Amino acid sequence: MKLHSLETGNFKLDGGAMFGVVPKTLWQKTNPADENNLCDWSMRCLLIEDGNKLMLIDTGIGDKQSEKFFSHYFLHGEGSLKGSLNQLGFDLSDITDVFLTHLHFDHCGGAIQWNKDRTGFEPVFKNAHFWSTENHWKWATEPNAREKASFLTENILPIQESGQLKFVDRKADFTSNVFPSMDVLFVDGHTESMMIPHIHYKGKTIVFMADLLPSVGHIPLPYVMGYDTRPLITLSEKEKFLNEAADKGYVLFLEHDAVNECCTLQHTEKGVRVKETFKFSEL
């Protein structure tokens, strides 16, 4: 099995929204903001080669939305999903599975594109199964007012219309049934039934953190995003996970940290804190 970190570009989000109730005087030490209070964030994806499967975890934001939409997020950086795949010698048609941790636009937008005559939308990955989970799909397609702006119909419904959608059963064993080297943790604080993949690789457990832990700056327990729909549940889920990760030496793959691709954790007098940061290629 081989794993590859894929850069799909960066965007900017409001620092206050990303750190919730934590004062700027604290969070700006790790995530400095610009003059508009915006911080830089990555949209990093993970590619897994395993036998005859080529699985992509999350897809970045894509490029089909309007200029007005993208003007809110200040897209920048050299990375792109297609370009990153091509650099590794892969084509979009080679992907067999797309695992979507959740359906917020910065995680699934790259899965869908305009069709040739721009009359509708189609999957970017023609030969792939798209994995979501039934609880989250219902949550995203019947959105609450708080999350409605993050669940874009054009990112979601074309997956189902293509016939390529499959659901991960929250009660079943994803490892034995679908992907032999991966387990899934379900969490409900950020959004309903977000999936956190745990990949067993070179004797280590690599955890794709999605929005349970966006960056190294979010490791202290109170540092919970304002975007989370159930912040107290996030707090509980995060505490349990961080302690387990420190105990078992998990490698955390950080989707949104613009500086640090990976980190490990340790127990300290102040609670769980970062132990090491490093590039994924250094594993």
Side-chain angles (χ1 to χ4, degrees):
M1 182 170 66
K2 295 181 181 179
L3 272 60
H4 308 277
S5 175
L6 302 183
E7 298 293 339
T8 73
N10 288 31
F11 69 149
K12 291 189 175 186
L13 293 172
D14 184 84
M18 286 298 289
F19 287 96
V21 299
V22 178
K24 182 179 180 180
T25 52
L26 296 179
W27 59 252
Q28 69 177 354
K29 295 176 183 178
T30 55
N31 296 78
D34 65 17
E35 65 278 7
N36 294 313
N37 212 50
L38 300 173
C39 299
D40 191 19
W41 306 98
S42 173
M43 290 177 284
R44 189 175 293 117
C45 303
L46 187 65
L47 185 70
I48 306 175
E49 292 184 73
D50 195 1
N52 62 355
K53 287 185 177 289
L54 189 63
M55 175 179 277
L56 177 65
I57 302 180
D58 281 356
T59 67
I61 200 169
D63 60 6
K64 65 184 172 300
Q65 263 72 44
S66 67
E67 184 177 341
K68 180 180 179 181
F69 175 87
F70 285 126
S71 72
H72 299 302
Y73 301 105
F74 304 92
L75 301 189
H76 60 286
E78 299 294 323
S80 72
L81 182 53
K82 185 177 187 300
S84 293
L85 285 170
N86 291 165
Q87 284 179 5
L88 293 169
F90 296 115
D91 187 70
L92 299 173
S93 61
D94 295 327
I95 301 297
T96 63
D97 298 87
V98 178
F99 186 95
L100 299 169
T101 60
H102 60 301
L103 296 168
H104 288 166
F105 62 80
D106 54 314
H107 295 259
C108 72
I112 299 295
Q113 64 188 1
W114 283 103
N115 59 18
K116 285 185 178 180
D117 56 8
R118 296 180 70 87
T119 59
F121 301 100
E122 63 184 14
V124 169
F125 308 100
K126 308 295 185 187
N127 300 316
H129 295 306
F130 290 83
W131 295 93
S132 184
T133 190
E134 198 164 4
N135 286 4
H136 184 65
W137 188 268
K138 180 176 173 61
W139 185 268
T141 54
E142 300 173 13
N144 59 74
R146 182 182 175 90
E147 284 183 282
K148 190 173 183 179
S150 294
F151 292 129
L152 306 181
T153 300
E154 63 268 29
N155 283 340
I156 299 172
L157 294 187
I159 298 174
Q160 187 173 48
E161 292 164 357
S162 72
Q164 295 169 241
L165 175 65
K166 287 185 174 291
F167 287 136
V168 178
D169 186 342
R170 186 161 177 164
K171 298 178 181 178
D173 184 355
F174 184 76
T175 303
S176 60
N177 293 334
V178 182
F179 213 77
S181 302
M182 190 165 119
D183 297 309
V184 178
L185 169 68
F186 289 87
V187 291
D188 300 298
H190 178 62
T191 188
E192 172 68 29
S193 296
M194 181 168 67
M195 299 189 289
I196 305 297
H198 289 48
I199 303 106
H200 308 294
Y201 177 66
K202 293 185 177 181
K204 300 180 182 294
T205 298
I206 315 298
V207 186
F208 188 93
M209 293 310 306
D211 282 342
L212 179 60
L213 194 78
S215 74
V216 166
H218 288 85
I219 291 172
L221 276 180
Y223 288 54
V224 172
M225 289 191 291
Y227 296 113
D228 286 23
T229 59
R230 305 168 178 133
L232 293 181
I233 291 178
T234 294
L235 202 66
S236 175
E237 291 170 338
K238 184 177 164 185
E239 182 175 26
K240 181 179 179 181
F241 173 82
L242 292 179
N243 280 300
E244 181 178 313
D247 289 342
K248 297 184 178 181
Y250 291 167
V251 173
L252 310 189
F253 183 92
L254 302 167
E255 185 167 12
H256 286 314
D257 194 313
V259 176
N260 306 292
E261 282 188 85
C262 298
C263 73
T264 54
L265 303 176
Q266 62 184 340
H267 295 286
T268 74
E269 292 181 356
K270 294 183 177 181
V272 175
R273 291 293 186 269
V274 66
K275 181 178 181 181
E276 294 180 296
T277 61
F278 47 91
K279 290 186 177 297
F280 189 70
S281 60
E282 296 173 7
L283 273 179

